Amino acid sequence: MAATPAAAQPVMYAVVSGDRLKIFMERDGTGAPVTSRQLAEAAGVAHGTIGALMNGTQRVVPEHKAKAIAARLGVDLLKLFIPMERSGRTLVPVQQVVA
């Protein structure tokens, strides 16, 4: 099987911290609390994904999911997620990639 070109792979985003996600869920952009189920439904992601991001068992999601989560919470994408780039088998923040 041929390798997929890097341009075809989605950009992945790592959650800054599960605690930060929880804080943003306490008060969304409107000031109302959001449950993990409400966030998952509104962002179009699995409820388990939100739980895993909150407890640290999952750190990364594709760009479209990160954007949907941030949009539902009413926060800037980069307040909640860090864009990642693949470097071999290790995920490295884009800001730390050396040419």
Side-chain angles (χ1 to χ4, degrees):
M1 186 181 282
T4 306
Q9 294 183 3
V11 174
M12 300 299 283
Y13 279 73
V15 70
V16 171
S17 76
D19 289 337
R20 185 173 290 188
L21 176 57
K22 291 174 192 175
I23 289 168
F24 285 133
M25 289 172 62
E26 288 175 5
R27 288 186 185 237
D28 67 5
T30 68
V34 178
T35 68
S36 58
R37 288 196 185 277
Q38 291 169 332
L39 178 56
E41 185 177 327
V45 300
H47 175 250
T49 298
I50 301 300
L53 290 171
M54 288 173 26
N55 69 29
T57 57
Q58 179 176 343
R59 291 205 52 238
V60 298
V61 292
E63 181 177 24
H64 71 279
K65 290 182 181 183
K67 286 181 175 180
I69 292 167
R72 170 55 187 91
L73 293 174
V75 299
D76 181 72
L77 176 66
L78 298 179
K79 298 261 186 209
L80 187 55
F81 291 96
I82 301 168
M84 307 296 280
E85 239 180 50
R86 290 207 179 269
S87 173
R89 294 174 48 100
T90 305
L91 289 171
V92 179
V94 171
Q95 296 87 340
Q96 296 179 7
V97 173
V98 178

mmCIF file of all heavy atoms in Angstrom, residues 15-38:
data_model
loop_
_atom_site.group_PDB
_atom_site.id
_atom_site.type_symbol
_atom_site.label_atom_id
_atom_site.label_comp_id
_atom_site.label_asym_id
_atom_site.label_seq_id
_atom_site.Cartn_x
_atom_site.Cartn_y
_atom_site.Cartn_z
ATOM 1 N N VAL A 15 -5.063 19.069 22.579
ATOM 2 C CA VAL A 15 -5.708 19.896 23.583
ATOM 3 C C VAL A 15 -4.625 20.402 24.543
ATOM 4 O O VAL A 15 -3.700 19.655 24.895
ATOM 5 C CB VAL A 15 -6.833 19.129 24.316
ATOM 6 C CG1 VAL A 15 -6.291 18.040 25.212
ATOM 7 C CG2 VAL A 15 -7.719 20.073 25.089
ATOM 8 N N VAL A 16 -4.684 21.673 24.907
ATOM 9 C CA VAL A 16 -3.690 22.247 25.805
ATOM 10 C C VAL A 16 -3.702 21.492 27.131
ATOM 11 O O VAL A 16 -2.655 21.084 27.622
ATOM 12 C CB VAL A 16 -3.949 23.757 26.021
ATOM 13 C CG1 VAL A 16 -3.064 24.323 27.114
ATOM 14 C CG2 VAL A 16 -3.751 24.519 24.719
ATOM 15 N N SER A 17 -4.880 21.302 27.698
ATOM 16 C CA SER A 17 -5.028 20.477 28.909
ATOM 17 C C SER A 17 -6.499 20.136 29.099
ATOM 18 O O SER A 17 -7.377 20.904 28.696
ATOM 19 C CB SER A 17 -4.497 21.198 30.152
ATOM 20 O OG SER A 17 -5.400 22.186 30.593
ATOM 21 N N GLY A 18 -6.718 19.006 29.712
ATOM 22 C CA GLY A 18 -8.090 18.608 30.032
ATOM 23 C C GLY A 18 -8.734 19.587 30.992
ATOM 24 O O GLY A 18 -9.924 19.874 30.897
ATOM 25 N N ASP A 19 -7.929 20.122 31.905
ATOM 26 C CA ASP A 19 -8.458 21.095 32.868
ATOM 27 C C ASP A 19 -8.924 22.371 32.170
ATOM 28 O O ASP A 19 -9.956 22.928 32.532
ATOM 29 C CB ASP A 19 -7.410 21.435 33.925
ATOM 30 C CG ASP A 19 -7.159 20.288 34.885
ATOM 31 O OD1 ASP A 19 -8.048 19.424 35.026
ATOM 32 O OD2 ASP A 19 -6.072 20.248 35.485
ATOM 33 N N ARG A 20 -8.182 22.806 31.158
ATOM 34 C CA ARG A 20 -8.600 24.007 30.430
ATOM 35 C C ARG A 20 -9.916 23.747 29.700
ATOM 36 O O ARG A 20 -10.798 24.595 29.679
ATOM 37 C CB ARG A 20 -7.524 24.456 29.448
ATOM 38 C CG ARG A 20 -7.904 25.777 28.781
ATOM 39 C CD ARG A 20 -6.817 26.349 27.937
ATOM 40 N NE ARG A 20 -5.737 26.825 28.788
ATOM 41 C CZ ARG A 20 -4.716 27.520 28.342
ATOM 42 N NH1 ARG A 20 -4.623 27.831 27.068
ATOM 43 N NH2 ARG A 20 -3.762 27.925 29.148
ATOM 44 N N LEU A 21 -10.050 22.573 29.110
ATOM 45 C CA LEU A 21 -11.304 22.221 28.445
ATOM 46 C C LEU A 21 -12.457 22.261 29.447
ATOM 47 O O LEU A 21 -13.516 22.826 29.167
ATOM 48 C CB LEU A 21 -11.196 20.834 27.809
ATOM 49 C CG LEU A 21 -12.462 20.277 27.160
ATOM 50 C CD1 LEU A 21 -13.010 21.208 26.083
ATOM 51 C CD2 LEU A 21 -12.190 18.888 26.599
ATOM 52 N N LYS A 22 -12.241 21.702 30.634
ATOM 53 C CA LYS A 22 -13.276 21.707 31.670
ATOM 54 C C LYS A 22 -13.661 23.134 32.062
ATOM 55 O O LYS A 22 -14.841 23.439 32.251
ATOM 56 C CB LYS A 22 -12.804 20.940 32.900
ATOM 57 C CG LYS A 22 -12.685 19.453 32.680
ATOM 58 C CD LYS A 22 -12.066 18.792 33.896
ATOM 59 C CE LYS A 22 -11.668 17.366 33.601
ATOM 60 N NZ LYS A 22 -10.956 16.734 34.720
ATOM 61 N N ILE A 23 -12.675 24.000 32.181
ATOM 62 C CA ILE A 23 -12.943 25.402 32.550
ATOM 63 C C ILE A 23 -13.798 26.074 31.487
ATOM 64 O O ILE A 23 -14.772 26.761 31.804
ATOM 65 C CB ILE A 23 -11.626 26.170 32.782
ATOM 66 C CG1 ILE A 23 -10.970 25.695 34.072
ATOM 67 C CG2 ILE A 23 -11.874 27.681 32.813
ATOM 68 C CD1 ILE A 23 -9.547 26.174 34.264
ATOM 69 N N PHE A 24 -13.454 25.863 30.214
ATOM 70 C CA PHE A 24 -14.237 26.465 29.135
ATOM 71 C C PHE A 24 -15.644 25.887 29.082
ATOM 72 O O PHE A 24 -16.572 26.561 28.650
ATOM 73 C CB PHE A 24 -13.543 26.314 27.783
ATOM 74 C CG PHE A 24 -12.376 27.237 27.592
ATOM 75 C CD1 PHE A 24 -11.173 26.771 27.094
ATOM 76 C CD2 PHE A 24 -12.473 28.590 27.884
ATOM 77 C CE1 PHE A 24 -10.104 27.624 26.907
ATOM 78 C CE2 PHE A 24 -11.406 29.453 27.702
ATOM 79 C CZ PHE A 24 -10.212 28.966 27.212
ATOM 80 N N MET A 25 -15.803 24.658 29.530
ATOM 81 C CA MET A 25 -17.133 24.050 29.549
ATOM 82 C C MET A 25 -17.996 24.596 30.687
ATOM 83 O O MET A 25 -19.208 24.555 30.612
ATOM 84 C CB MET A 25 -17.015 22.527 29.639
ATOM 85 C CG MET A 25 -16.500 21.885 28.367
ATOM 86 S SD MET A 25 -16.156 20.127 28.534
ATOM 87 C CE MET A 25 -17.781 19.496 28.941
ATOM 88 N N GLU A 26 -17.368 25.111 31.740
ATOM 89 C CA GLU A 26 -18.119 25.683 32.857
ATOM 90 C C GLU A 26 -18.903 26.916 32.426
ATOM 91 O O GLU A 26 -19.980 27.187 32.936
ATOM 92 C CB GLU A 26 -17.185 26.030 34.009
ATOM 93 C CG GLU A 26 -16.652 24.812 34.727
ATOM 94 C CD GLU A 26 -15.638 25.147 35.800
ATOM 95 O OE1 GLU A 26 -15.401 26.354 36.080
ATOM 96 O OE2 GLU A 26 -15.065 24.211 36.365
ATOM 97 N N ARG A 27 -18.322 27.679 31.491
ATOM 98 C CA ARG A 27 -18.991 28.862 30.941
ATOM 99 C C ARG A 27 -18.566 29.006 29.496
ATOM 100 O O ARG A 27 -17.418 29.332 29.216
ATOM 101 C CB ARG A 27 -18.598 30.132 31.694
ATOM 102 C CG ARG A 27 -19.190 30.211 33.050
ATOM 103 C CD ARG A 27 -18.882 31.553 33.676
ATOM 104 N NE ARG A 27 -19.367 31.549 35.034
ATOM 105 C CZ ARG A 27 -20.227 32.425 35.489
ATOM 106 N NH1 ARG A 27 -20.666 33.379 34.727
ATOM 107 N NH2 ARG A 27 -20.633 32.354 36.731
ATOM 108 N N ASP A 28 -19.491 28.766 28.591
ATOM 109 C CA ASP A 28 -19.170 28.915 27.169
ATOM 110 C C ASP A 28 -19.210 30.399 26.802
ATOM 111 O O ASP A 28 -19.286 31.266 27.674
ATOM 112 C CB ASP A 28 -20.102 28.073 26.299
ATOM 113 C CG ASP A 28 -21.549 28.551 26.306
ATOM 114 O OD1 ASP A 28 -21.847 29.596 26.912
ATOM 115 O OD2 ASP A 28 -22.386 27.862 25.701
ATOM 116 N N GLY A 29 -19.179 30.696 25.538
ATOM 117 C CA GLY A 29 -19.186 32.079 25.069
ATOM 118 C C GLY A 29 -20.404 32.876 25.496
ATOM 119 O O GLY A 29 -20.369 34.104 25.541
ATOM 120 N N THR A 30 -21.478 32.181 25.857
ATOM 121 C CA THR A 30 -22.702 32.862 26.298
ATOM 122 C C THR A 30 -22.788 32.949 27.815
ATOM 123 O O THR A 30 -23.717 33.538 28.346
ATOM 124 C CB THR A 30 -23.958 32.139 25.772
ATOM 125 O OG1 THR A 30 -24.061 30.862 26.418
ATOM 126 C CG2 THR A 30 -23.926 31.978 24.268
ATOM 127 N N GLY A 31 -21.827 32.328 28.513
ATOM 128 C CA GLY A 31 -21.842 32.321 29.967
ATOM 129 C C GLY A 31 -22.554 31.130 30.567
ATOM 130 O O GLY A 31 -22.650 30.999 31.774
ATOM 131 N N ALA A 32 -23.080 30.244 29.726
ATOM 132 C CA ALA A 32 -23.813 29.072 30.200
ATOM 133 C C ALA A 32 -22.886 27.854 30.278
ATOM 134 O O ALA A 32 -21.945 27.734 29.492
ATOM 135 C CB ALA A 32 -24.972 28.765 29.257
ATOM 136 N N PRO A 33 -23.154 26.942 31.208
ATOM 137 C CA PRO A 33 -22.356 25.717 31.266
ATOM 138 C C PRO A 33 -22.727 24.773 30.122
ATOM 139 O O PRO A 33 -23.846 24.819 29.604
ATOM 140 C CB PRO A 33 -22.730 25.112 32.613
ATOM 141 C CG PRO A 33 -24.093 25.640 32.896
ATOM 142 C CD PRO A 33 -24.152 27.007 32.271
ATOM 143 N N VAL A 34 -21.784 23.926 29.736
ATOM 144 C CA VAL A 34 -21.996 22.945 28.672
ATOM 145 C C VAL A 34 -21.571 21.585 29.208
ATOM 146 O O VAL A 34 -20.464 21.448 29.727
ATOM 147 C CB VAL A 34 -21.150 23.288 27.416
ATOM 148 C CG1 VAL A 34 -21.328 22.246 26.334
ATOM 149 C CG2 VAL A 34 -21.464 24.664 26.900
ATOM 150 N N THR A 35 -22.432 20.596 29.081
ATOM 151 C CA THR A 35 -22.049 19.239 29.482
ATOM 152 C C THR A 35 -21.230 18.598 28.371
ATOM 153 O O THR A 35 -21.237 19.059 27.216
ATOM 154 C CB THR A 35 -23.288 18.362 29.755
ATOM 155 O OG1 THR A 35 -23.974 18.139 28.513
ATOM 156 C CG2 THR A 35 -24.213 18.994 30.786
ATOM 157 N N SER A 36 -20.541 17.522 28.717
ATOM 158 C CA SER A 36 -19.745 16.835 27.699
ATOM 159 C C SER A 36 -20.637 16.272 26.599
ATOM 160 O O SER A 36 -20.261 16.283 25.425
ATOM 161 C CB SER A 36 -18.895 15.735 28.331
ATOM 162 O OG SER A 36 -19.695 14.809 29.018
ATOM 163 N N ARG A 37 -21.827 15.813 26.943
ATOM 164 C CA ARG A 37 -22.756 15.303 25.927
ATOM 165 C C ARG A 37 -23.235 16.424 25.005
ATOM 166 O O ARG A 37 -23.325 16.246 23.797
ATOM 167 C CB ARG A 37 -23.951 14.615 26.575
ATOM 168 C CG ARG A 37 -23.587 13.288 27.197
ATOM 169 C CD ARG A 37 -24.805 12.443 27.485
ATOM 170 N NE ARG A 37 -24.422 11.235 28.193
ATOM 171 C CZ ARG A 37 -23.968 10.139 27.607
ATOM 172 N NH1 ARG A 37 -23.849 10.089 26.310
ATOM 173 N NH2 ARG A 37 -23.651 9.074 28.328
ATOM 174 N N GLN A 38 -23.563 17.579 25.578
ATOM 175 C CA GLN A 38 -23.999 18.718 24.763
ATOM 176 C C GLN A 38 -22.880 19.168 23.834
ATOM 177 O O GLN A 38 -23.116 19.456 22.657
ATOM 178 C CB GLN A 38 -24.428 19.886 25.663
ATOM 179 C CG GLN A 38 -25.691 19.649 26.429
ATOM 180 C CD GLN A 38 -25.924 20.707 27.498
ATOM 181 O OE1 GLN A 38 -24.990 21.303 28.032
ATOM 182 N NE2 GLN A 38 -27.198 20.949 27.802
#
